[in-house]
Amino acid sequence: MAAIAAGAAGRSPLTGWSGIGVMVAGLLLVLAAQAGMGDSWRVGVEEGERTDLVTGGLFSLARNPVFTGMVLVLAGMVLVLPGPIPAAALLSLVVAVQVQVRMVEEPYLLRTHGTVYRAYAARTGRFVPLLGRLGAPEGAEERR
């Protein structure tokens, strides 16, 4: 903490403290999103397992707020401890999350929840509001 307050590595102490704020916000987002999933919270995908599709609370803003929070934690770490290792960790997490969501989670949710998931994904961003929405289900009218 003293290094952050002193502005280690020639950067402003504000940068370090901002990083801590981003890390705390990310952690709170992870915890709130996990709690919001209730009984649907799981790690990974088990074929044949069926949980309720959570679309309320934080999940009405983004389909993957837990992953968004995890990325914020590492982004804050990059601000606190700038350098190639934290930056590589952040980049690795972003790539891993993209692969997990696009190749595992979304196909599973489409198989499990069908058009209900597709409609939800058409109106809700993947990691942040409005960005990464899937196409609307065929024959569905756009809701406004």
Side-chain angles (χ1 to χ4, degrees):
M1 289 292 200
I4 295 167
R11 63 181 162 71
S12 165
L14 181 60
T15 303
W17 288 112
S18 296
I20 289 175
V22 171
M23 290 172 71
V24 169
L27 178 60
L28 292 174
L29 179 58
V30 167
L31 295 175
Q34 286 177 342
M37 287 190 77
D39 291 338
S40 292
W41 171 247
R42 59 180 168 57
V43 175
V45 169
E46 187 174 320
E47 208 56 52
E49 179 184 31
R50 183 171 172 92
T51 58
D52 291 335
L53 181 63
V54 179
T55 61
L58 291 170
F59 292 86
S60 68
L61 302 173
R63 298 192 310 272
N64 298 283
V66 173
F67 289 138
T68 302
M70 291 169 63
V71 168
L72 285 174
V73 169
L74 281 185
M77 185 178 73
V78 169
L79 292 173
V80 172
L81 301 168
I85 293 174
L90 175 58
L91 179 61
S92 297
L93 177 64
V94 168
V95 169
V97 163
Q98 289 286 344
V99 169
Q100 172 70 17
V101 167
R102 292 170 186 259
M103 306 291 287
V104 178
E105 296 275 339
E106 287 180 351
Y108 164 78
L109 290 167
L110 282 166
R111 282 191 309 275
T112 303
H113 297 286
T115 57
V116 172
Y117 178 75
R118 183 166 290 285
Y120 165 62
R123 68 179 182 271
T124 309
R126 185 175 278 123
F127 298 108
V128 295
L130 304 178
L131 297 178
R133 293 181 291 176
L134 296 182
E138 289 185 29
E141 293 183 24
E142 190 174 324
R143 292 182 218 173
R144 296 209 184 241

